[in-house]
Amino acid sequence: FRFKDSLAEDLRRADLVISHAGAGSCLETLEKRKPLIVVTNEKLMNNHQLELAKQLHRDGHVLCCNCSTLVETLRSMDLSTLKPFPPGQPEKFALFLDKVLGFQ
């Protein structure tokens, strides 16, 4: 997609998501418990997307490839090996911030 206000309905209907490694795209997909193949763009400078993709792959949450290896990844993928992404815990983060900022 070039631009879409929301991917919520597309994600709800999807059996598999293939996406770039943007944090929002990855986290929204993983929160919906959808299997995800992250396609990295290795030409980006200071590529934080590559770092995120590699970490999510190391943790077993996504499959990771680049444009030239996407077809092979699709042929050889085993989605049963993917681990569910743990739900966020914003209350713990809020408590941490309160402590760091001296509000506790």
Side-chain angles (χ1 to χ4, degrees), residues 1-98:
F1 301 102
R2 280 179 104 47
F3 177 79
K4 200 168 190 179
D5 287 333
S6 173
L7 295 175
E9 180 59 23
D10 299 295
L11 287 174
R12 187 189 68 72
R13 293 186 336 226
D15 294 320
L16 172 68
V17 175
I18 300 172
S19 175
H20 73 132
S25 300
C26 290
L27 294 176
E28 187 175 0
T29 302
L30 292 170
E31 286 172 354
K32 300 277 192 273
R33 303 272 190 236
K34 299 296 181 168
L36 175 61
I37 297 176
V38 176
V39 181
T40 61
N41 179 352
E42 296 169 340
K43 294 179 183 177
L44 294 176
M45 293 182 57
N46 301 320
N47 196 348
H48 65 279
Q49 288 189 8
L50 182 59
E51 293 174 24
L52 175 63
K54 285 183 176 182
Q55 187 62 53
L56 289 172
H57 179 71
R58 276 193 296 270
D59 292 344
H61 302 299
V62 304
L63 299 176
C64 186
C65 65
N66 58 43
C67 289
S68 63
T69 60
L70 176 58
V71 172
E72 181 54 35
T73 299
L74 289 167
R75 285 185 183 134
S76 64
M77 68 183 180
D78 180 359
L79 299 177
S80 70
T81 64
L82 296 178
K83 298 175 187 173
F85 191 74
Q89 298 178 327
E91 62 284 345
K92 284 189 176 183
F93 183 68
L95 289 172
F96 169 77
L97 280 182
D98 285 348

